[in-house]
Amino acid sequence: MSAAILIVDDEPALNELFVIGLNKYGYDTEGVLSGKDCLDLLKTSYQPDLILLDMMMEPMDGWETLTHIKANKQNRSIPIIMQTGKNLTYKEAEQFSFYIEDYIMKPITPKRCVDFIQQILDNRKELMQFIEKVRNSGCPENQIDRLINLHKAIDVSKRLLNLLSDRYGSATIVETESEKYGPEEFQIFREKIISEYYSLQQKMGI
């Protein structure tokens, strides 16, 4: 069965391009033109295998749409690739690590997008095996959920770090006038979640 892909982008021409293009590569692709349309569709029986979500939409942007998706227990496990022409910052990468699977910079063609999509779907199979193992451990539900979230965040943050390193090198990015957040701070974040992951894993006996 073909993987179901949902395109969420408020540019009609680009939306149609990706729906047609990804269908040609064997995916069962649907497209919606707003965050609200996405959320409304997910309230139905439709359940995509992956969502390709544009960041820069109006009036509901990609981050707000993403937050609503992850707040819903039925939909929070759907893999999401964020797609945007906006440069990712290290601070945003920290926030996104727990919510998305990858981050793609526009412009990009459907053909190039296939590699990102397939990698996430392949990784998803491994993640589901890990989740099944953890769910069968008999540990408290809050520990299980936290371990799964950390497992995913470690993998995603590594990919985002590679993307950021290619774009910025070792430069520190000024987030606000009073705060600087760059590769050093992001690496501290990664070390923190990795440490928590192994400590929790040891505590759970997994």
Side-chain angles (χ1 to χ4, degrees):
M1 183 180 295
S2 300
I5 309 297
L6 178 60
I7 308 297
V8 187
D9 196 310
D10 61 355
E11 296 184 39
L14 192 58
N15 195 307
E16 183 178 7
L17 172 68
F18 271 82
V19 170
I20 294 173
L22 293 179
N23 279 339
K24 287 182 178 179
Y25 285 98
Y27 297 106
D28 182 10
T29 316
E30 298 287 340
V32 292
L33 295 170
S34 71
K36 181 181 183 303
D37 289 344
C38 170
L39 299 177
D40 288 343
L41 183 58
L42 293 177
K43 290 176 184 178
T44 70
S45 60
Y46 178 74
Q47 191 78 182
D49 294 300
L50 183 144
I51 297 174
L52 191 61
L53 178 63
D54 183 47
M55 182 71 170
M56 307 297 287
M57 298 188 296
E58 294 182 354
M60 184 186 296
D61 64 17
W63 176 251
E64 184 179 356
T65 305
L66 176 66
T67 302
H68 283 297
I69 293 172
K70 295 302 180 180
N72 185 298
K73 188 174 182 179
Q74 178 182 339
N75 301 322
R76 66 179 55 155
S77 63
I78 301 173
I80 295 177
I81 298 178
M82 191 69 82
Q83 181 177 240
T84 179
K86 178 181 179 293
N87 284 333
L88 179 69
T89 67
Y90 282 96
K91 188 64 176 178
E92 289 171 336
E94 177 179 327
Q95 297 169 333
F96 284 146
S97 292
F98 285 97
Y99 290 94
I100 67 174
E101 273 64 34
D102 215 332
Y103 191 98
I104 299 177
M105 292 295 301
K106 290 182 176 179
I108 188 170
T109 64
K111 182 178 181 180
R112 283 190 58 213
C113 212
V114 166
D115 290 338
F116 288 92
I117 291 172
Q118 201 54 51
Q119 181 182 13
I120 297 305
L121 293 177
D122 290 343
N123 289 347
R124 189 71 180 168
K125 296 175 184 177
E126 297 179 8
L127 178 61
M128 294 309 294
Q129 291 175 353
F130 173 79
I131 290 175
E132 183 179 1
K133 175 184 175 182
V134 175
R135 294 284 183 207
N136 292 332
S137 68
C139 295
E141 195 68 23
N142 64 321
Q143 291 184 351
I144 291 173
D145 289 343
R146 183 59 179 171
L147 189 70
I148 291 171
N149 287 337
L150 288 168
H151 181 89
K152 173 186 165 184
I154 290 169
D155 179 58
V156 174
S157 63
K158 182 179 180 181
R159 286 202 295 276
L160 295 181
L161 179 60
N162 290 336
L163 185 153
L164 288 162
S165 296
D166 289 342
R167 182 162 295 272
Y168 298 120
S170 60
T172 296
I173 309 305
V174 179
E175 304 286 345
T176 67
E177 291 183 0
S178 61
E179 180 183 10
K180 292 184 178 180
Y181 192 103
E184 183 177 344
E185 289 79 8
F186 189 70
Q187 190 58 47
I188 291 173
F189 158 72
R190 276 187 41 81
E191 291 171 358
K192 180 180 177 181
I193 61 175
I194 290 171
S195 175
E196 182 184 353
Y197 174 79
Y198 285 117
S199 295
L200 184 57
Q201 197 176 42
Q202 185 176 24
K203 182 178 180 179
M204 296 169 67
I206 296 176

